[in-house]
Structure formats: structure tokens, C-alpha cells
Amino acid sequence: MKLGEFGEDRLLAQLLPGLSRNRSVVLGAGDDCAVVRFPRQDNFQLLKTDCVVEGIHFTAASPPASVGWKAMARPLSDFAAMSGVPQFALVTLIVPANKTLAWTKKIYRGLEKAARTFQVAIVGGETSDSSGPAVISVSLTGFVEKDRWVGRGGGKAGDELFVTGRLGGSLRGRHFKFTPRIEEARWLTKHFLIHAMMDLSDGLGADLPRLARASGVGFEVDENVLPRNRDCTVTQALNDGEDYELLFAVSPRDSPRLRKSWARKFPRLLLTRIGRLNRKSQIANRKWHGYVHFK
Amino acid sequence: MKLGEFGEDRLLAQLLPGLSRNRSVVLGAGDDCAVVRFPRQDNFQLLKTDCVVEGIHFTAASPPASVGWKAMARPLSDFAAMSGVPQFALVTLIVPANKTLAWTKKIYRGLEKAARTFQVAIVGGETSDSSGPAVISVSLTGFVEKDRWVGRGGGKAGDELFVTGRLGGSLRGRHFKFTPRIEEARWLTKHFLIHAMMDLSDGLGADLPRLARASGVGFEVDENVLPRNRDCTVTQALNDGEDYELLFAVSPRDSPRLRKSWARKFPRLLLTRIGRLNRKSQIANRKWHGYVHFK
């Protein structure tokens, strides 16, 4: 059935019932706004929005449940980057009228799966039609304890740089299946003082310079130790993007304990020391550009 | 200058500095998430997302500052519908690469103007390119006191129905210039017990049945008293949509005091008693459909 045969009320009546809620939800999707309770006050609130666009982040042939997963997992990865706990999601679906109801429901199935996996309640679901490509936009709110919040700007010269997992080649399919590193980030800030952290969405080659710039320092990286996915070159590991792994900086004093406890806690997820922050960058190299938007 | 010549970092560097902030903002746009302080706990948090799509809600010829105003004012109108106080906005711009930087900056100027008018801080700004029409998606968070929150579901048989302002003909230009009725809604819930309220976005003909359905009651409306904009028929007042006026239900006991105080407080904004809620609808009429999406 084509969406063109549907009114918005009927479409939302198909999509919204049964969305995951949590105990803080007073009123979920369906009224003018969602209404939720505030958590305790020794927290900061976090807010993040992100979207995926057909033809850019996925294609008409991409499995819709995977597209939905990705649309939710991307802002979740930004929550991980700040050691945040996500709580509530608002979803906007912009769908051309020639998409089917089945396709749209599968998008929601993927959104829901990612939301449930991280105990997030979807409390708003807007739809709009469009003459152009489908867009799924997800806004997330949640919190982080004031003493556990990590931005990009706290890195210090001398800090060691770590990345989780492996880099490169995500377009072979991993960009639809990645796991936001929320559990790992929460563990990191519970046990260690993390000076700066971000998630790798545009590729280490673009993202590390951003972290260094925000911290007012330079960086040096040993390209030979970069954890690469199978059959990936260094250039691919630097620039493919969509890795959604964590990049973070810690004091060299914490490094040995970190590496040992990490290996015990997350035996199946690689943690690699790739270099360090310094007073001035050693690398000014064409390989370091990552994915550049609008090009 | 075309956006295709810009990287995302450079584009955001043009758009994000100088965005309105408020005292609750710890970290605004630019890091992985925005970070804000929580207000006091005797409040509920409100969340709302909404988008405008080129070809649907505006055209390529629409003045971009008006498009930006509209994109922000629409979810603000939903906050008004719940008597909420908006605080933080996240903006996603999906722009084809052939749009100019000047166009994009004017969109932001309109977003900013609406945000400043209602003391909202824009704390996140994402961009993505697209092969299709431009989309501006805005997510808002804010709060409402627990004893002042108004949904659609609290209307009772016998309640009188009021609308603010005039209805119909919004496409002649008012849909780009409307004022979200936040001040009016805050005043209403401060001084009166409002049983049910919503903003009229799809037209009274579509929205009143929604309010009645959510409240489990019927309604009767005197079409002759509907406050119409100049040169509008009853059918247009019911179905044009995009009025962004308030529709609400109060006990008939409060009606005389409400009408008298309203006229003193808002002498330039019409308030009209259009009918009442009852046990079963008197009107089952083809005129009552409003704007139907996906048609």
C-alpha cells in the first residue's frame, strides 16, 4: 500500500502504538508535545539531533530496518561520545508518497530495536510528505552526571590517544549495524578521568583534528598501529568514516591500568593506543581529511 | 556562493556563532551533544519536533527568513498548545548543494529571530546535503509546571469551546508570519482551569475532531460565529489550516470571567466562543476534514 493513499492520522496510528516507553514518560507520541519527568538535578541534560538522507546515508535498496537502526544509532553514538545516558527520542519521517507502508513500518522497527536496546523511549513521531528523497531525523535527550561529562575540549599535551574497535571499510555494511559505544563510555568515565572524547563519524582523519583543535593542542599518530578492518588500507581507516568508534584522550599515568581493566571488561572489543596529543601537530598530510560533506 | 563549494565544518562555522543562548546552556552547538542545566523539579519536560519541507510547506521562491521563522514557530505553537515554556532548540538543515550560503544564512536568521522572541537557545545545528528538496527540522525542549500542563484529552461534555484570532486564508502569507500563542496560553493556565487545548495547524475541521476524540466526547459548533479572516468562507476557515491559533475547552462557569479578563489583557487579539463539547457530535459534515497529509 502506497503512503499516498494514507492520511497522516492513519499513518501515525499504524506507526506509533507500542513504541517503547519508560517510567519517566507522562505522555508519549500523539498529543502536541511529549511530556516527561525530569531526572535528579545533579545532572546535565544532553540534546542531540541527527538525520539520515536517502541517496547520502542509505539508498532506496537499503534494508529499511537497518536504515532505522542507523538513524537511531547515530545520535546514540554522540551520547556515547559524552558518556551520556539517552532517555527520550523524537522521530521525524519525511517520506515521499510512493514509499510503501511496509517500508515505513520496517524503518520504525529498526528505530524501535535500537531504542529498546539502549532503554530509550520514542516519545514523538512526526511525518511529512516530500517530493524528494526520504529523510529520517532523530532527536535525543538524556543526561550525564555533572562530574562525568566529557567534551572534546579537555585534551592536554602529553595525553595518550585511544580508539575502540577497528576503522575503515564501513560501507561494506557495518555502517548499518554498528553498536553505539554507550556501555563502554559509561564504564570509562566511571573508572577513569577521560580528558576528551568523541565518536568517529567522519573518519579519524577528520575527527582527530577536530578534537585537537577543540583542546588547543596538536597530535601525533602512529599510522602503523591503527586498528584496521580487514582489507583496509591506512588511508581507508583514516578517511572512510562512519566507524562510530570512540576516540579519547587520557593521562599517560592512567594508561597502563586502563589497558589492563579494559581487556578484562571488554575482551571482545579492541582498544588501541594510536598516539598522543602534543603541543603542535606532527602530521599535516593529505591523508588526514576524512569524509567532507557537501563535496 | 554555492554550498557545494563548502565543507560542513566551514558551513557550520558560518551559521553557528552568535546563536542565541540562555543561562541554562553549558555547551551549545559544536560538540557531540548540547549540554544544558535542568530547571527545578516540580516541572514536566516537554519535547516536540517538527519540520518544513520545500514544495510542501514553502517553495523555492519563499523568503528564506520567513521559512526559518515558520520552521521555529511551528513547534513553538505546539508548546503554546500545552502551556509550555520552550527553552532549547536543535536545528537540522537538509540542503541541496545548489542552495547558496546566503539563502542558508537567511534561513538561520529567521530561526534565530523566532528563537530570540521566545527566549529559546538554539543549542544544536546539524546539516546534511541531499539530492532533493530542502528540509528544516526543529526539535524543542522545555517545561511546564505539573499543575499547568494541558493536553487534548481533558475536555468534558458541556465545556465551552474557544478559539483565538481568526481562521482561514493563511496561504496568502500569514503562514509565514504567525505568532505562536505562548504568552496567551501561559496567561490562560495561570488564571483559569483549561480542560483541553491544542493549536490549530491542520484547520479547525480536522483539529477539533481530534480534541473531541482525545477527550471522548462530541462537539457542536456554530459555523456562523466562526472568526474568519477577510474574504474567507466558512469552508476555508474550517479547512485551510496553518492558523496556529489556540483551540481550548473551559467550564461554562468560567466563561464570563474569561471573556471579560481576556478583552482587558489582550485587547487586540480576538477570542471567540465557537461552540461546546457534548456527549455526541451534532456535525458529521464533509466540510469537517481540514488539511489531510499524504493526499
Side-chain angles (χ1 to χ4, degrees):
Chain A
M1 181 176 263
K2 291 280 190 273
L3 290 184
E5 303 160 39
F6 255 69
E8 186 187 21
D9 285 353
R10 281 181 66 203
L11 177 60
L12 292 177
Q14 291 277 331
L15 299 176
L16 300 185
L19 286 184
S20 65
R21 301 175 66 138
N22 61 33
R23 271 175 303 172
S24 301
V25 177
V26 179
L27 185 69
D31 212 305
D32 294 296
C33 303
V35 180
V36 301
R37 286 186 184 82
F38 282 107
R40 33 186 231 286
Q41 292 227 25
D42 43 347
N43 298 329
F44 285 136
Q45 186 179 21
L46 299 179
L47 305 114
K48 177 66 187 184
T49 192
D50 197 52
C51 65
V52 294
V53 180
E54 189 174 354
I56 307 281
H57 304 96
F58 66 96
T59 70
S62 302
S66 299
V67 174
W69 172 278
K70 178 175 183 171
M72 183 64 70
R74 276 166 54 102
L76 284 169
S77 183
D78 286 299
F79 266 66
M82 291 217 155
S83 182
V85 177
Q87 295 178 290
F88 307 108
L90 300 169
V91 173
T92 301
L93 268 183
I94 298 161
V95 270
N98 65 357
K99 290 287 187 195
T100 63
L101 179 62
W103 183 88
T104 310
K105 289 176 95 163
K106 281 180 195 150
I107 291 280
Y108 253 83
R109 199 173 304 154
L111 288 163
E112 259 296 284
K113 189 176 171 194
R116 275 182 208 277
T117 304
F118 294 96
Q119 289 91 51
V120 169
I122 300 179
V123 294
E126 301 296 309
T127 61
S128 176
D129 48 359
S130 167
S131 64
V135 177
I136 302 113
S137 171
V138 177
S139 294
L140 275 183
T141 67
F143 70 91
V144 65
E145 299 83 352
K146 286 182 182 173
D147 56 357
R148 288 174 72 176
W149 162 49
V150 190
R152 299 177 180 179
K156 295 172 180 48
D159 279 355
E160 298 199 346
L161 291 169
F162 287 85
V163 295
T164 61
R166 297 177 180 279
L167 309 180
S170 67
L171 273 181
R172 291 176 211 150
R174 223 165 16 84
H175 72 116
F176 279 138
K177 293 177 198 155
F178 65 93
T179 301
R181 301 303 187 193
I182 288 181
E183 185 191 349
E184 294 80 1
R186 295 291 296 165
W187 179 86
L188 281 170
T189 61
K190 186 170 176 194
H191 298 288
F192 296 90
L193 183 62
I194 308 298
H195 289 168
M197 185 156 65
M198 68 186 300
D199 68 317
L200 296 174
S201 52
D202 290 340
L204 186 70
D207 287 333
L208 175 51
R210 289 178 178 140
L211 184 143
R213 209 177 308 130
S215 297
V217 296
F219 61 88
E220 57 192 54
V221 163
D222 182 354
E223 295 184 354
N224 298 313
V225 305
L226 285 183
R228 290 177 272 152
N229 278 302
R230 207 166 5 153
D231 302 329
C232 280
T233 65
V234 167
T235 303
Q236 290 170 318
L238 288 176
N239 299 327
D240 281 357
E242 299 219 55
D243 300 303
Y244 304 108
E245 297 292 349
L246 293 173
L247 165 70
F248 60 92
V250 295
S251 161
R253 284 190 307 277
D254 287 338
S255 174
R257 184 170 64 92
L258 167 62
R259 303 173 77 174
K260 199 185 285 179
S261 346
W262 180 280
R264 269 199 309 269
K265 175 71 181 171
F266 302 109
R268 300 195 306 180
L269 184 65
L270 202 61
L271 180 71
T272 310
R273 187 175 51 180
I274 60 164
R276 58 194 197 93
L277 297 176
N278 60 24
R279 292 194 186 280
K280 211 180 157 195
S281 286
Q282 301 299 304
I283 291 178
N285 182 314
R286 291 197 142 266
K287 272 185 288 191
W288 287 82
H289 54 74
Y291 177 77
V292 180
H293 300 278
F294 294 111
K295 291 275 176 181
Chain B
M1 182 177 263
K2 293 277 189 274
L3 291 183
E5 301 160 38
F6 257 67
E8 184 186 24
D9 283 354
R10 279 181 69 203
L11 177 61
L12 292 177
Q14 292 276 331
L15 300 177
L16 300 186
L19 286 185
S20 67
R21 301 175 64 139
N22 59 34
R23 272 177 301 172
S24 302
V25 177
V26 179
L27 184 69
D31 213 303
D32 294 295
C33 303
V35 181
V36 300
R37 286 184 187 83
F38 281 108
R40 35 187 230 286
Q41 292 227 25
D42 42 349
N43 299 330
F44 286 136
Q45 187 178 21
L46 298 180
L47 304 114
K48 177 67 189 182
T49 190
D50 198 51
C51 66
V52 294
V53 180
E54 189 174 353
I56 308 281
H57 305 95
F58 65 96
T59 70
S62 303
S66 299
V67 174
W69 173 277
K70 178 176 182 168
M72 183 65 69
R74 277 166 53 102
L76 284 169
S77 184
D78 286 300
F79 267 65
M82 291 214 155
S83 181
V85 177
Q87 296 179 290
F88 307 107
L90 301 169
V91 173
T92 302
L93 269 183
I94 299 161
V95 268
N98 66 356
K99 291 285 185 196
T100 64
L101 179 60
W103 183 89
T104 310
K105 289 176 95 163
K106 281 180 195 149
I107 291 280
Y108 253 83
R109 199 174 305 152
L111 289 163
E112 258 297 284
K113 191 176 171 197
R116 274 182 209 276
T117 303
F118 295 96
Q119 289 91 53
V120 168
I122 300 179
V123 294
E126 301 296 309
T127 62
S128 176
D129 46 0
S130 168
S131 64
V135 177
I136 303 111
S137 170
V138 176
S139 295
L140 276 184
T141 66
F143 70 89
V144 65
E145 300 83 351
K146 286 182 184 173
D147 56 358
R148 288 174 73 177
W149 161 50
V150 190
R152 299 177 181 180
K156 296 171 181 47
D159 279 355
E160 297 198 347
L161 291 168
F162 288 85
V163 294
T164 62
R166 297 179 180 277
L167 310 179
S170 68
L171 272 180
R172 293 177 209 149
R174 224 163 17 82
H175 72 114
F176 279 138
K177 294 176 197 154
F178 66 92
T179 301
R181 302 302 186 193
I182 288 181
E183 186 192 348
E184 294 80 2
R186 295 293 294 166
W187 178 86
L188 281 171
T189 60
K190 188 171 174 193
H191 297 289
F192 296 90
L193 184 62
I194 308 297
H195 289 168
M197 186 156 63
M198 68 186 301
D199 69 317
L200 296 174
S201 52
D202 289 342
L204 185 69
D207 286 334
L208 174 51
R210 287 177 179 142
L211 183 142
R213 208 178 307 129
S215 296
V217 295
F219 60 88
E220 59 193 52
V221 165
D222 181 355
E223 296 184 356
N224 298 313
V225 305
L226 284 184
R228 290 177 272 152
N229 278 301
R230 208 168 3 155
D231 302 329
C232 280
T233 64
V234 167
T235 304
Q236 288 170 321
L238 288 176
N239 297 328
D240 280 358
E242 300 221 56
D243 301 302
Y244 304 108
E245 297 292 350
L246 292 175
L247 165 70
F248 59 91
V250 295
S251 162
R253 284 190 307 277
D254 288 339
S255 175
R257 184 171 65 92
L258 167 62
R259 302 173 77 174
K260 199 185 286 178
S261 351
W262 180 279
R264 269 201 307 271
K265 175 70 181 174
F266 302 110
R268 300 196 306 182
L269 184 64
L270 201 61
L271 181 70
T272 310
R273 188 177 48 178
I274 59 163
R276 57 193 197 94
L277 297 176
N278 60 23
R279 292 194 184 281
K280 209 177 159 199
S281 286
Q282 300 300 304
I283 291 176
N285 182 314
R286 290 198 142 267
K287 274 186 285 191
W288 288 82
H289 55 72
Y291 178 76
V292 179
H293 299 278
F294 292 111
K295 291 274 174 176

